[in-house]
Amino acid sequence: MSPEEFRQAGYQAIDWVADYMARLGDLPVKSSVEPGDVRAMLPAEAPALGEDFADVLADLDRVILPGITHWQAPGFFAYFSANASGPSALADLVSSGLGAQGMMWDTGPAVTELEQHVLDWLAVEMDLPEKFRGNGVIQDSASSSTLCAILAARHRAGGIDALPNLVAYASEHAHSSVEKGLRVAGIPADRLRSIATTPDYAMRADHLAYEIVKDKNDGLTPFFVAATVGTTATTGIDPLTEVAWVASNFDAWTHVDAAFAGTAALCPEMRFLNAGLETADSYVFNPHKWLLTNFDCSAFYVADRASLTEALSITPEYLRNPVSEAGTVVDYRDWQVPLGRRFRALKLWFVIRHYGVEGLRAHIRRHVAWARELTEWVEADHRFELAAPTVVSLVCFRHKDGNKATSRILEAVNQSGRAYLTSTTLGGQIILRVAIGSPQTERHHIEDLWNLIQSAA
Ligand code: PLP
């Protein structure tokens, strides 16, 4: 494809995406294809000869769109949002066009330095502790960030030789990525202690202390504590100050997973989310969840970068270069599992410059305000009860008549095509989760959802 052909095809592709964005509100939110439907529309063999780009684009409508659940639809309230935006999509396009590799400063100075810079911008605007500034890196996901935190903690605790004795801790509501990261790092599930929570689904620091002391007395090495700011089920907030205090008393690493909720700390009135963070060793939040930045973009900060880079750095001859050897630059290949890395910082740069920090704050504040309103509507309806406090923009509730009634509502909402919800189970009770965070959602979409829920109740 010559540059001129790219230009022409590019116009068509951008037109297609812009049209898609414009009609998102009219599409059924959840795909209703059956397993195998999409593959059945694809030719069995790859084309031997190249095809016209227009034909490929036409197949987006025919083959792909029916099999898409529209995460950017205004009626998408399932899971947690996965924000996309125009500036972010354009940055991804530029990144792909550049095709630059940022594995080391030397292979892409701008890739590295822009990443350091925008992560510092965010650290300042979110009022993250001073120690995280200059120590940020973009990972593909919160799961990878947590894995890196585990690998750094394992290194600090003695590395692979210490493996047989290592024990980790997380609340019973921590994300499954903690267990997965431990498994990858060689620490089996029976070495992950599940810590009990309060009625608000926050980790009980006294139970954590009890488990750690018990393990210490048994000759084991507590090495890693995962605290969550915004659990997946209910956005429960672990008490970071107490948790990190207990962990640090036993030389265990405290990692804070704020994948979804962390973004809200951009707003000064939500800074309670950062309380106690100054005692943590590492922190992750996902701009790709709530900061108008397309997947993948996970911001990971580490206080002691040496533990991370010593755990992950291997330097074969072919990667040696004078600037790295002089030690004056950051080589992000040592901050992650893969060697290669693309130019993700462009997304944050485009997004922050397009919306401005105040624009990003407004994006979050709208969702938080609507979540509070919805919470009040739930409280005012005698048929429903809240299942957890509304901390940021996730509202959790159930029908008082029980699981059957709650499931009936879930089904009715999802079958309507106008909205999409997912549920969770707490203490045997099915709970509806309304996760507000889609860029195109307006207040009337929340009203529409509430009407749907009420008429199915
Ligand atoms: N941690 C929490 C608290 C989450 O809610 C999620 C996903 O929703 C994750 C981690 C995993 O995020 P990722 O897909 O970026 O690995």
Side-chain angles (χ1 to χ4, degrees):
M1 192 178 261
S2 69
E4 197 43 42
E5 285 168 331
F6 177 80
R7 192 188 314 280
Q8 295 310 322
Y11 289 146
Q12 292 174 47
I14 297 277
D15 278 346
W16 189 89
V17 176
D19 288 345
Y20 171 70
M21 289 171 167
R23 67 195 162 119
L24 259 173
D26 301 327
L27 301 170
V29 184
K30 176 139 175 37
S31 167
S32 55
V33 297
E34 297 293 332
D37 281 359
V38 177
R39 289 197 68 173
M41 282 194 282
L42 295 165
E45 284 170 20
L49 301 175
E51 300 177 52
D52 274 354
F53 188 70
D55 292 339
V56 179
L57 269 188
D59 277 353
L60 284 181
D61 288 304
R62 189 181 65 86
V63 182
I64 301 300
L65 267 194
I68 294 290
T69 289
H70 303 288
W71 282 69
Q72 304 311 315
F76 187 96
F77 302 106
Y79 307 103
F80 281 132
S81 50
N83 276 190
S85 70
S88 177
L90 291 172
D92 258 353
L93 177 64
V94 174
S95 169
S96 299
L98 287 172
Q101 270 290 351
M103 56 198 181
M104 298 185 287
W105 183 91
D106 200 44
T107 62
V111 183
T112 301
E113 293 194 15
L114 186 68
E115 184 160 329
Q116 292 178 292
H117 208 75
V118 289
L119 288 176
D120 276 354
W121 275 359
L122 286 178
V124 169
E125 296 300 338
M126 293 169 69
D127 201 23
L128 298 183
E130 210 42 63
K131 63 183 180 183
F132 289 143
R133 301 193 188 156
N135 285 322
V137 57
I138 300 178
Q139 306 275 351
D140 57 6
S141 61
S143 304
S144 293
S145 301
T146 297
L147 170 62
C148 286
I150 291 167
L151 295 173
R154 187 184 74 173
H155 178 79
R156 200 175 75 176
I160 290 172
D161 294 342
L163 261 184
N165 276 337
L166 298 183
V167 198
Y169 308 80
S171 104
E172 55 189 327
H173 288 282
H175 191 262
S176 56
S177 51
V178 175
E179 183 178 334
K180 191 189 258 191
L182 289 166
R183 191 193 294 178
V184 173
I187 294 130
D190 63 3
R191 286 294 172 86
L192 170 61
R193 307 284 182 249
S194 177
I195 307 300
T197 53
T198 66
D200 287 350
Y201 308 106
M203 190 198 288
R204 277 183 44 192
D206 60 333
H207 192 229
L208 172 69
Y210 172 82
E211 290 288 333
I212 290 185
V213 169
K214 193 151 73 75
D215 286 329
K216 267 293 225 202
N217 289 341
D218 288 344
L220 297 171
T221 309
F223 89 108
F224 183 78
V225 178
T228 313
V229 170
T231 57
T232 313
T234 66
T235 50
I237 310 283
D238 290 343
L240 297 187
T241 310
E242 290 88 337
V243 166
W245 185 81
V246 173
S248 61
N249 265 299
F250 294 91
D251 292 330
W253 182 290
T254 304
H255 171 62
V256 177
D257 174 3
F260 174 73
T263 294
L266 205 55
C267 305
E269 70 275 20
M270 305 294 283
R271 292 281 157 73
F272 65 89
L273 295 165
N274 289 349
L277 202 52
E278 57 286 348
T279 36
D281 294 288
S282 54
Y283 175 77
V284 61
F285 83 99
N286 280 348
H288 68 229
K289 279 190 162 58
W290 203 9
L291 200 67
L292 291 164
T293 307
N294 295 45
F295 192 86
D296 52 351
C297 184
S298 185
F300 177 56
Y301 295 89
V302 62
D304 164 24
R305 68 160 84 159
S307 291
L308 180 66
T309 55
E310 283 167 17
L312 294 175
S313 183
I314 296 173
T315 305
E317 198 49 41
Y318 45 82
L319 293 179
R320 290 194 186 283
N321 67 82
V323 254
S324 296
E325 235 113 279
T328 48
V329 294
V330 156
D331 286 335
Y332 275 131
R333 72 183 176 90
D334 298 332
W335 297 53
Q336 61 175 25
V337 174
L339 170 62
R341 62 199 325 270
R342 62 199 192 84
F343 201 170
R344 296 193 195 92
L346 272 179
K347 292 192 272 201
L348 283 175
W349 198 45
F350 275 35
V351 163
I352 297 169
R353 292 185 66 181
H354 178 83
Y355 293 100
V357 177
E358 285 308 324
L360 296 172
R361 289 187 176 127
H363 165 70
I364 292 155
R365 283 182 177 132
R366 281 150 47 98
H367 300 151
V368 171
W370 296 332
R372 290 197 179 138
E373 252 187 294
L374 176 60
T375 303
E376 285 166 16
W377 299 342
V378 172
E379 282 173 324
D381 190 322
H382 67 276
R383 293 168 295 181
F384 295 101
E385 64 186 8
L386 288 173
T390 300
V391 181
V392 278
S393 68
L394 173 71
V395 186
C396 297
F397 57 98
R398 61 187 284 272
H399 198 296
K400 283 183 185 162
D401 286 353
N403 286 349
K404 263 198 188 149
T406 308
S407 300
R408 198 176 55 233
I409 296 169
L410 185 69
E411 230 168 86
V413 169
N414 291 346
Q415 276 177 4
S416 74
R418 278 152 48 200
Y420 178 32
L421 295 183
T422 46
S423 62
T424 189
T425 306
L426 295 171
Q429 293 178 334
I430 297 175
I431 309 295
L432 298 176
R433 293 172 75 261
V434 178
I436 303 172
S438 249
Q440 286 203 11
T441 303
E442 296 292 338
R443 188 178 175 280
H444 67 87
H445 296 108
I446 315 287
E447 285 179 308
D448 185 36
L449 170 70
W450 182 235
N451 289 337
L452 274 171
I453 290 171
Q454 284 193 309
S455 39

